[in-house]
Amino acid sequence: MTRGTRIFLSCIYWAFVLYVFVPLILMVVMGFKDSKFIGFPIRSWTLDWYLGVFEDAEVVSVFVYSVAIAVFSTLISVIVGTWIAVLLEGRKFWGRAAVFGLTILPALVPGIISAIAFRIYARLLGIEPGMFAIIWAHAVHNVPFVALVVMARLSTLPKSQTEAARDLGADPLVAFMRITLPYLVPAIMGASIFCLLLSFDDFVRSFFLGSYEPTLPVLIFAMLRSGMSPEINAIATVALVLTAVLGVWAERYMRRMNKETGR
Amino acid sequence: MGSDVASVRKPGGGKGADAGATFWGRLVRWGPYSALLSLIFTSPRRQFVILAAFPILWVLTQHLGPMLQMLRVSLTDSYPVAQGTDTQFTLDNYVRFFGDRIFWMPFFRTLTFAAVFTLTTLIITYPVAYFLARHVSRKNQLLMLLLLLIPFWVGEIVRTYAIMILLGNNGAVNLALRSLGLIDRPIPFMYTSFSMGVGIVYLTALYMLLPLYSALEKLPKSYTEAAADLGAGAWTRFRRVTLPLSLEGISSGCILVFLISTGFYATPVLLGGPSTTVFAETIAGFFHVAGDEWPTGAAFATIMFVAALLLTGIFQKLMNALRKGDTR
């Protein structure tokens, strides 16, 4: 490969890095603007918008609400997703392909259609719009991701290990708890963080299944519809930092785990 | 976990004595537990049924259920059902779609936008993925990929807002162009299909980048080296070797991005304008008003889903045919 192509391609890479970072950096910077109006240039600076986020009781309660939804929905997704993965991985049975297809279905349905379908189904089940409805929709939507990650990890567990446990007298339940589950812990951890982020960031399902109490993305959306303000920048930046740090940590954690098992 | 530590500290101990000391050992020997187990796990078949019952029930009722219920509601004349009346089976909700321009225009617009945005994403991310997979050392690859992943952990709304700040009349792009003296008054980027495209490509780029990267990364360097030895130039090597062998990544990336782009609701609302109304907004409209519009909304969502699946299905068939043709 010629030197010219290499330089050209690396320019494209760094241009892409700029494309994905610059909008977010601008947003963070704009939160320091000492004016109610969003726009450049910024002539004077202030910390007030950021400090305001932590003093605003409504914003803080929306944060807590969103985190609570994320935690509960993740708990459900992780349990169900792991269970499905244990059923599907390394087992042949009639209808396995169908069960696998249905497992990943929620991940393939485009956002708005998924939200509408959940809204209609919630009515059928008698779930009122609100916290429980959002938790349920997020949980169902995130199950495929858990199942896929756990299945990938499970496929690397040598069968001999569980067989050895069974030979030594462990019943299926004990063998699962003592051998399989500890082996799956890193995958479950990674999938949990992924689910937490998906739920915390989700707009469309929270919007259609929520009651008057907004989650954080829904709050930002509502504020944006009535006009841009540095206050929104400050709120969005706090959300950004939270999700990016958690995401990067999860990424590193997963990578280290894969290295340890020699994958 | 305390019991774990205890059992690890005493390796090679007698099975019976050691097992009895741990929680699990005690559990196994506890009468009611083993009685319960022998009651449940009488045969491998029974064991399988216990393992499989919950997941199968879950995917049927929670994954398939909402889609089926949506389909069912789309075929009724009113929902939720008013007291004392019956719902009638009807196809009117589907007929309504074809009857009015304000319904099918956004539909075709959405599909066109999604196709154009998917192609744009592919063109932008392919060189990036190619560079990472083929021109960067193994160690730097992960770091440089990780760098790109950071913004993608941030949510849809926050990133859409970031694009609003970038492209607004007082935004960074207009400021830069003005201070360079290229323009006198701001270019109205916002509320057009352009701003929507920038936003959606921003949101979906990762879903294209990752499949492309993993397809290109799997490709052995020796293939292109062999082609070079046989006298193929850089362009021929790319067109005859690299591109055909990365078709799998292209196909899965495109399908993913297409499906995701058709489903965006908040981004078109915030970045688009009256002339860029997408079908997601049309569908959502039926759920903001009184409940009796639900069947129409359900029908429209069904149309959208079927169309998206059909198109991606056809696309996958085409790509498969292309791949077979090339490897012959």
Side-chain angles (χ1 to χ4, degrees), chain A residues 177-207:
Chain A
M177 297 300 280
R178 302 276 331 248
I179 306 293
T180 314
L181 200 57
Y183 187 77
L184 291 181
V185 163
I188 290 173
M189 282 287 288
S192 306
I193 289 167
F194 194 55
C195 288
L196 283 174
L197 292 173
L198 279 177
S199 167
F200 189 77
D201 287 340
D202 176 73
F203 168 76
V204 75
R205 277 159 286 270
S206 306
F207 184 67

Coordinates of all heavy atoms in Angstrom, one line a residue, chain A residues 177-207:
Chain A
M177 N -24.9 -23.3 39.6 CA -24.6 -22.2 40.5 C -23.1 -22.1 40.8 O -22.5 -21.1 41.0 CB -25.3 -22.4 41.9 CG -26.8 -22.3 41.8 SD -27.4 -20.7 41.1 CE -27.3 -19.7 42.6
R178 N -22.4 -23.3 40.8 CA -21.0 -23.3 41.2 C -20.1 -23.2 40.0 O -18.9 -22.8 40.2 CB -20.7 -24.6 42.0 CG -21.5 -24.8 43.2 CD -21.0 -24.1 44.5 NE -19.5 -23.9 44.6 CZ -18.7 -24.4 45.4 NH1 -19.2 -25.4 46.2 NH2 -17.5 -24.1 45.5
I179 N -20.5 -23.7 38.9 CA -19.6 -23.7 37.7 C -20.0 -22.7 36.7 O -19.3 -21.8 36.3 CB -19.5 -25.1 37.0 CG1 -19.2 -26.2 38.1 CG2 -18.5 -25.1 35.9 CD1 -17.8 -26.1 38.6
T180 N -21.2 -22.9 36.2 CA -21.6 -22.0 35.0 C -21.8 -20.6 35.4 O -21.2 -19.7 34.7 CB -23.0 -22.6 34.5 OG1 -22.9 -24.0 34.4 CG2 -23.3 -22.0 33.1
L181 N -22.5 -20.3 36.5 CA -22.8 -18.9 36.8 C -21.5 -18.1 37.1 O -21.4 -17.0 36.6 CB -23.8 -18.9 38.0 CG -24.5 -17.5 38.2 CD1 -25.3 -17.2 36.9 CD2 -25.5 -17.6 39.3
P182 N -20.6 -18.6 37.9 CA -19.3 -17.9 38.2 C -18.6 -17.6 36.9 O -18.0 -16.5 36.7 CB -18.5 -18.8 39.1 CG -19.5 -19.6 39.7 CD -20.6 -19.8 38.8
Y183 N -18.6 -18.6 35.9 CA -18.0 -18.4 34.7 C -18.6 -17.2 33.8 O -18.0 -16.5 33.1 CB -18.0 -19.7 33.9 CG -17.1 -19.6 32.6 CD1 -15.8 -19.7 32.7 CD2 -17.8 -19.4 31.4 CE1 -15.0 -19.6 31.5 CE2 -17.0 -19.4 30.2 CZ -15.6 -19.4 30.3 OH -14.9 -19.4 29.1
L184 N -19.9 -17.1 34.0 CA -20.7 -16.1 33.2 C -20.6 -14.7 33.8 O -21.0 -13.8 33.2 CB -22.2 -16.5 33.2 CG -22.5 -17.8 32.3 CD1 -24.0 -18.0 32.3 CD2 -22.0 -17.6 30.9
V185 N -20.1 -14.6 35.1 CA -20.2 -13.3 35.7 C -19.7 -12.1 34.9 O -20.4 -11.1 34.8 CB -19.5 -13.3 37.1 CG1 -19.2 -12.0 37.6 CG2 -20.4 -14.1 38.1
P186 N -18.5 -12.2 34.3 CA -18.0 -11.1 33.5 C -19.0 -10.7 32.4 O -19.3 -9.5 32.2 CB -16.7 -11.6 32.9 CG -16.3 -12.7 33.7 CD -17.5 -13.3 34.2
A187 N -19.5 -11.7 31.7 CA -20.5 -11.4 30.6 C -21.7 -10.7 31.2 O -22.3 -9.8 30.6 CB -20.9 -12.7 29.9
I188 N -22.2 -11.2 32.3 CA -23.4 -10.7 32.9 C -23.1 -9.2 33.4 O -24.0 -8.4 33.2 CB -23.9 -11.6 34.1 CG1 -24.4 -12.9 33.5 CG2 -24.9 -10.9 34.9 CD1 -24.7 -13.9 34.6
M189 N -22.0 -9.0 33.9 CA -21.6 -7.6 34.3 C -21.6 -6.7 33.1 O -22.2 -5.6 33.1 CB -20.2 -7.6 34.9 CG -20.1 -8.1 36.3 SD -20.8 -6.9 37.5 CE -19.5 -5.6 37.4
G190 N -20.9 -7.1 32.0 CA -20.9 -6.3 30.8 C -22.3 -6.0 30.3 O -22.6 -4.9 30.0
A191 N -23.1 -7.1 30.2 CA -24.4 -6.9 29.6 C -25.3 -6.0 30.5 O -26.1 -5.2 30.0 CB -25.1 -8.3 29.5
S192 N -25.1 -6.1 31.9 CA -25.8 -5.3 32.8 C -25.6 -3.8 32.5 O -26.5 -3.0 32.4 CB -25.5 -5.5 34.2 OG -25.6 -6.9 34.5
I193 N -24.3 -3.5 32.3 CA -24.0 -2.1 32.1 C -24.5 -1.6 30.8 O -25.1 -0.5 30.6 CB -22.4 -1.8 32.2 CG1 -22.0 -2.0 33.7 CG2 -22.0 -0.5 31.7 CD1 -20.6 -2.1 33.9
F194 N -24.4 -2.5 29.8 CA -25.0 -2.2 28.5 C -26.5 -1.9 28.6 O -27.0 -0.9 28.1 CB -24.8 -3.3 27.5 CG -25.0 -3.0 26.1 CD1 -24.4 -1.9 25.5 CD2 -25.8 -3.7 25.3 CE1 -24.6 -1.6 24.2 CE2 -26.1 -3.4 24.0 CZ -25.5 -2.3 23.4
C195 N -27.2 -2.7 29.4 CA -28.7 -2.5 29.6 C -28.9 -1.3 30.4 O -29.9 -0.5 30.0 CB -29.2 -3.7 30.4 SG -29.3 -5.2 29.5
L196 N -28.1 -1.0 31.4 CA -28.3 0.2 32.2 C -28.3 1.5 31.2 O -29.1 2.4 31.3 CB -27.2 0.4 33.2 CG -27.4 -0.4 34.5 CD1 -26.1 -0.3 35.3 CD2 -28.6 0.0 35.3
L197 N -27.3 1.5 30.3 CA -27.1 2.6 29.4 C -28.2 2.7 28.4 O -28.8 3.7 28.2 CB -25.8 2.5 28.7 CG -24.5 2.7 29.6 CD1 -23.3 2.4 28.8 CD2 -24.5 4.1 30.1
L198 N -28.6 1.5 27.9 CA -29.7 1.5 26.9 C -31.0 2.1 27.5 O -31.7 2.8 26.9 CB -30.0 0.1 26.4 CG -29.1 -0.5 25.3 CD1 -29.5 -1.9 25.0 CD2 -29.2 0.3 24.1
S199 N -31.2 1.6 28.8 CA -32.5 2.1 29.4 C -32.4 3.6 29.8 O -33.3 4.3 29.6 CB -32.7 1.2 30.7 OG -33.7 1.8 31.5
F200 N -31.2 4.0 30.3 CA -31.1 5.4 30.7 C -31.1 6.3 29.5 O -31.6 7.4 29.7 CB -29.7 5.5 31.4 CG -29.5 6.8 32.1 CD1 -30.1 7.1 33.3 CD2 -28.7 7.8 31.5 CE1 -29.9 8.4 33.9 CE2 -28.5 9.0 32.1 CZ -29.1 9.3 33.3
D201 N -30.7 5.9 28.4 CA -30.6 6.7 27.2 C -31.9 6.6 26.4 O -32.1 7.4 25.4 CB -29.5 6.3 26.3 CG -28.1 6.7 26.8 OD1 -28.1 7.6 27.7 OD2 -27.1 6.1 26.4
D202 N -32.7 5.6 26.6 CA -33.9 5.4 25.8 C -34.9 6.6 25.8 O -35.3 7.0 26.9 CB -34.6 4.1 26.2 CG -35.9 3.9 25.3 OD1 -35.7 3.5 24.2 OD2 -37.0 4.1 25.9
F203 N -35.3 7.0 24.6 CA -36.3 8.0 24.6 C -37.7 7.5 24.2 O -38.6 7.7 24.8 CB -35.9 9.1 23.6 CG -37.0 10.1 23.3 CD1 -37.4 11.0 24.2 CD2 -37.7 10.0 22.1 CE1 -38.4 11.9 24.0 CE2 -38.8 10.8 21.9 CZ -39.1 11.8 22.8
V204 N -37.7 6.7 23.0 CA -39.0 6.5 22.4 C -39.9 5.7 23.2 O -41.1 6.0 23.4 CB -38.8 6.0 21.0 CG1 -38.3 4.5 20.9 CG2 -40.0 6.2 20.1
R205 N -39.4 4.6 23.9 CA -40.2 3.8 24.7 C -40.7 4.6 26.0 O -41.8 4.5 26.4 CB -39.5 2.5 25.1 CG -39.7 1.4 24.0 CD -38.6 0.4 24.1 NE -37.3 0.9 23.7 CZ -36.9 0.8 22.4 NH1 -37.6 0.2 21.5 NH2 -35.7 1.3 22.0
S206 N -39.7 5.3 26.6 CA -40.1 6.1 27.8 C -41.1 7.1 27.5 O -42.0 7.4 28.3 CB -38.8 6.8 28.3 OG -37.8 5.8 28.5
F207 N -41.0 7.7 26.2 CA -42.0 8.7 25.8 C -43.4 8.2 25.7 O -44.3 8.8 26.2 CB -41.4 9.3 24.5 CG -42.2 10.5 24.0 CD1 -42.3 11.7 24.7 CD2 -43.0 10.4 22.8 CE1 -43.0 12.8 24.2 CE2 -43.7 11.5 22.4 CZ -43.7 12.7 23.1

